[in-house]
Amino acid sequence: MFKPHVTVACVVHAQGKFLVVEEIVNGRVTWNQPAGHLEADETLVEAAARELWEETGIQAQPQHFVRMHQWIAPDNTPFLRFLFAIELDEQLPTTPHDSDIERCVWVTADDILNAAHLRSPLVAESIRSYQTGVRYPLAVIGEFNWPFTRDA
């Protein structure tokens, strides 16, 4: 049976710039969107908000669904990556809570599209997907008969 890894990512945009997180992967600084794996007891939207907070310290909810990318990494690991958009009024300060994140940086789309140190090609592809302007309501990926409840 095919069992791809399910991940979420957020394109965070404010004042013409995008938020990237810097991670050290195999001894090399890389850029990524705030992103990570879906946990067993959370919805995709909850996972995106959690990953955003863990990696940047920003508490915000995804506003739109942008795209789902089906991808096979260079090590042959299959992924389904759900991409969300978060529009902020201003570039907020960041405080990563994930020890894998070195720092967060606000950069232009061109900085990302021309960077040689992206975590994966999906980082640039996410910016290109965002730039199309196509946005979907979060309800297109809504949960059904979800057994988990959250305290108010």
Side-chain angles (χ1 to χ4, degrees):
M1 174 185 278
F2 183 64
K3 295 183 182 182
H5 291 249
V6 176
T7 60
V8 296
C10 297
V11 171
V12 182
H13 178 257
Q15 299 172 307
K17 296 215 175 162
F18 296 88
L19 186 61
V20 295
V21 297
E22 283 188 354
E23 306 168 278
I24 306 291
V25 178
N26 299 323
R28 179 176 158 254
V29 173
T30 63
W31 281 358
N32 197 4
Q33 276 94 23
H37 285 84
L38 174 69
E39 299 294 333
D41 64 344
E42 63 189 358
T43 66
L44 292 163
V45 172
E46 289 170 343
R50 175 187 51 76
E51 288 291 347
L52 177 69
W53 183 84
E54 287 177 1
E55 295 193 356
T56 71
I58 294 173
Q59 290 190 331
Q61 293 295 312
Q63 294 143 339
H64 297 99
F65 176 63
V66 177
R67 185 159 184 195
M68 191 274 294
H69 291 102
Q70 186 172 356
W71 183 62
I72 298 177
D75 68 358
N76 289 321
T77 303
F79 286 90
L80 296 177
R81 187 177 195 245
F82 291 82
L83 180 65
F84 297 92
I86 297 176
E87 294 287 340
L88 300 175
D89 293 331
E90 60 185 344
Q91 296 170 26
L92 298 176
T94 58
T95 307
H97 299 278
D98 183 330
S99 62
D100 290 337
I101 305 302
E102 296 294 314
R103 68 181 184 140
C104 304
V105 185
W106 289 95
V107 298
T108 67
D110 284 343
D111 291 335
I112 295 168
L113 295 173
N114 295 310
H117 55 287
L118 301 179
R119 172 90 186 251
S120 82
L122 280 179
V123 178
E125 184 59 24
S126 294
I127 295 300
R128 286 189 286 273
S129 294
Y130 174 89
Q131 288 177 323
T132 67
V134 176
R135 307 282 187 276
Y136 299 98
L138 297 177
V140 301
I141 54 164
E143 61 277 358
F144 175 74
N145 283 342
W146 192 242
F148 303 100
T149 58
R150 304 287 179 223
D151 295 332

